[in-house]
Amino acid sequence: MKEFKIFNEELSLDNKNEITNYIHKFDAIEGGSGKRNFIKNITVDGIDLNIKSFKIPNLVNKIAYKFFRKSKARRSFEYGFKLLNLGINTPKPIAFIEYSSLFFLKNSFYVSKQFPYDLTYRELIFNHEYPDFEIILRAFTRFTFKLHENGINFLDHSPGNTLIKKNKDGYEFYLVDLNRMKFQTMNFEERMKNFAKLSPKDVMLNIMCDEYAKLYPSKTKEEITKTMFFFSNKFSTYYVKQEAFKKKYYFWRK
């Protein structure tokens, strides 16, 4: 099996070798979390790191990732640096490693620095009494606007994929799960659609609409509210139908 790997240039040779050895024995590393993809934690030279092992793709994607598309691990690594260069926070990219045969991609791994966050956006959905609830939501909206202004269409802009850290000046936001992005000029509908996966809660959408309207004067608050709610409701309806379909026809899956 062929091994292909690229590391952050700041790493020493010893650190590169140690990370490679951890990946070789990934299954033996204790702990971890995840369903489709699995994340385990290691420490190298006193620095805590995450290793994300991506699910082995299906037959079609094994071929596609081998010859036509970059792997999820490689995209995560490259997009991480691109975000940082654009002034968008994400845990520091460390490495990606791929294993392939002559015709197929097999396993791929993305390594990043562990980030000690305080919460994710998901906590706000289930706890509207969270300290600074509205302050965080408005700051998050400004962060999303910054993504849009920088031409970053984060296709997995969902509750678990933004880490939130409180600092002395307010709150910082860090993107994770980076492999699905488009870098493009975003029109109004694309911007509003980007909020669709974040929350079915009207109170949260109302706050985000109000804040976005302050930043995007070419549209009225009413236009922003109508469009953001439209895409959020459309996604919620689709999600409910999709989950019902999976429950009915994929009941045998664990």
Side-chain angles (χ1 to χ4, degrees):
M1 189 176 296
K2 183 179 178 181
E3 180 181 75
F4 179 76
K5 53 189 176 183
I6 294 181
F7 288 92
N8 189 314
E9 294 178 355
E10 298 175 6
L11 293 177
S12 68
L13 179 59
D14 286 344
N15 287 347
K16 293 177 183 179
N17 290 335
E18 187 172 356
I19 290 169
T20 301
N21 288 334
Y22 270 116
I23 289 175
H24 287 169
K25 60 180 183 182
F26 182 81
D27 290 341
I29 301 173
E30 293 184 0
S33 61
K35 294 181 180 178
R36 289 185 306 164
N37 309 312
F38 212 76
I39 298 174
K40 293 189 177 184
N41 307 112
I42 62 172
T43 301
V44 174
D45 200 16
I47 299 174
D48 294 330
L49 304 177
N50 290 330
I51 302 176
K52 184 173 186 177
S53 172
F54 288 93
K55 180 182 177 181
I56 296 175
N58 61 37
L59 179 60
V60 173
N61 283 333
K62 282 181 180 180
I63 298 171
Y65 289 143
K66 173 67 177 180
F67 296 107
F68 306 111
R69 298 180 61 199
K70 293 180 180 180
S71 70
K72 292 181 179 181
R74 182 167 191 158
R75 278 180 277 154
S76 298
F77 183 78
E78 294 180 353
Y79 291 171
F81 280 110
K82 191 162 187 174
L83 290 175
L84 293 173
N85 289 335
L86 290 170
I88 304 299
N89 291 327
T90 188
K92 186 176 182 179
I94 300 297
F96 78 89
I97 299 181
E98 300 170 347
Y99 296 94
S100 60
S101 64
L102 186 61
F103 297 107
F104 303 124
L105 176 74
K106 298 288 188 178
N107 303 88
S108 62
F109 300 85
Y110 173 56
V111 185
S112 59
K113 188 175 179 181
Q114 171 70 27
F115 179 70
Y117 61 95
D118 295 316
L119 71 152
T120 68
Y121 183 96
R122 181 174 283 113
E123 275 83 347
L124 303 179
I125 295 176
F126 297 106
N127 183 7
H128 293 182
E129 301 302 318
Y130 194 94
D132 289 343
F133 173 80
E134 184 170 336
I135 291 172
I136 298 172
L137 268 182
R138 291 186 180 277
F140 175 81
T141 306
R142 294 192 294 272
F143 169 71
T144 301
F145 179 78
K146 184 179 179 181
L147 296 180
H148 297 167
E149 289 293 286
N150 279 277
I152 301 166
N153 189 350
F154 184 32
L155 301 176
D156 279 330
H157 203 30
S158 54
N161 289 341
T162 300
L163 311 181
I164 304 173
K165 180 72 174 178
K166 186 174 183 179
N167 60 33
K168 63 179 181 179
D169 299 317
Y171 292 88
E172 294 178 323
F173 302 88
Y174 290 72
L175 294 186
V176 295
D177 205 356
L178 307 180
N179 67 88
R180 294 186 67 242
M181 290 189 184
K182 290 183 179 179
F183 295 89
Q184 61 184 122
T185 300
M186 295 181 68
N187 62 32
F188 174 63
E189 287 201 348
E190 288 167 337
R191 289 168 181 246
M192 297 298 97
K193 187 177 180 180
N194 198 221
F195 286 90
K197 297 179 181 179
L198 287 166
S199 175
K201 309 289 186 179
D202 288 3
V203 63
M204 300 177 76
L205 291 175
N206 280 323
I207 292 170
M208 291 191 291
C209 289
D210 181 70
E211 189 65 24
Y212 206 96
K214 298 175 183 177
L215 305 167
Y216 198 68
S218 61
K219 295 292 182 181
T220 66
K221 180 181 174 182
E222 289 71 24
E223 289 174 305
I224 288 172
T225 300
K226 179 181 178 180
T227 311
M228 191 183 294
F229 269 77
F230 168 78
F231 283 116
S232 180
N233 292 334
K234 184 178 179 180
F235 175 76
S236 295
T237 301
Y238 165 78
Y239 180 81
V240 169
K241 289 181 178 178
Q242 184 184 51
E243 290 302 302
F245 179 85
K246 288 179 181 179
K247 187 175 181 180
K248 182 176 181 179
Y249 294 103
Y250 293 93
F251 60 89
W252 44 270
R253 287 185 177 177
K254 295 183 179 180

